[in-house]
């Protein structure tokens, strides 16, 4: 069983930055590809970014390319999402997830509880 706990969400002005963290339980964090997803009110959950076990393979949604950076620290069992130049349309609940496969095959097996990000105009 893998437990994921997000933190770092909050209220920020447009153009500002936030860094989200996702702490994973256990000693097998490096065995999983990890990803960030988000869901805004009335919209479907959207894949934001994923990262492979070693960090060698990373992909981003077009809407966040150039603004968001996903990274991981396997020694700390922690996944990060640095969000710069935030826009009101980035407002959503952000979730981290773990998958046995990276990239196109990323299929969440475990989810965190989510953390709210609100970007004001």
């Amino acid at each position: 069983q893998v437990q994921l706990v997000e933190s770092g969400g909050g209220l920020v002005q447009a153009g500002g930055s936030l860094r989200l963290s996702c702490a994973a339980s256990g000693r097998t964090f490096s065995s999983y590809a990890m990803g960030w997803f988000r869901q805004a009110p009335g919209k479907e959950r959207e894949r934001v970014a994923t990262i492979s076990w070693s960090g060698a393979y990373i992909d981003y949604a077009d809407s966040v390319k150039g603004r968001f950076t996903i990274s991981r620290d396997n020694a700390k069992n922690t996944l990060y999402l640095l969000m710069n130049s935030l826009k009101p349309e980035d407002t959503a609940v952000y979730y981290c997830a773990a998958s046995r496969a990276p990239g196109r095959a990323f299929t969440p097996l475990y989810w965190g509880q989510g953390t709210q990000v609100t970007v004001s105009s």
Side-chain angles (χ1 to χ4, degrees):
Q1 183 69 35
V2 175
Q3 293 182 329
L4 304 172
V5 180
E6 302 94 336
S7 62
L11 175 64
V12 65
Q13 296 284 337
S17 299
L18 283 173
R19 190 179 75 162
L20 306 183
S21 298
C22 173
S25 66
R27 299 179 180 178
T28 60
F29 176 73
S30 62
S31 298
Y32 293 91
M34 299 292 295
W36 287 99
F37 295 73
R38 66 186 182 186
Q39 187 166 25
K43 300 181 68 177
E44 295 185 347
R45 189 166 296 188
E46 173 188 21
R47 178 170 167 168
V48 175
T50 66
I51 184 169
S52 65
W53 315 276
S54 67
Y57 304 104
I58 295 173
D59 62 78
Y60 296 96
D62 289 341
S63 59
V64 307
K65 285 182 179 177
R67 298 189 298 120
F68 290 12
T69 302
I70 188 171
S71 62
R72 65 190 298 163
D73 186 336
N74 290 342
K76 297 181 179 179
N77 290 340
T78 303
L79 174 74
Y80 302 98
L81 183 68
L82 176 62
M83 304 183 294
N84 293 323
S85 302
L86 282 162
K87 305 174 181 179
E89 51 263 45
D90 295 319
T91 295
V93 177
Y94 284 71
Y95 301 88
C96 66
S99 170
R100 289 197 174 97
R104 290 184 178 182
F106 191 101
T107 302
L109 296 175
Y110 305 99
W111 291 94
Q113 84 290 344
T115 187
Q116 177 71 48
V117 173
T118 303
V119 184
S120 61
S121 301

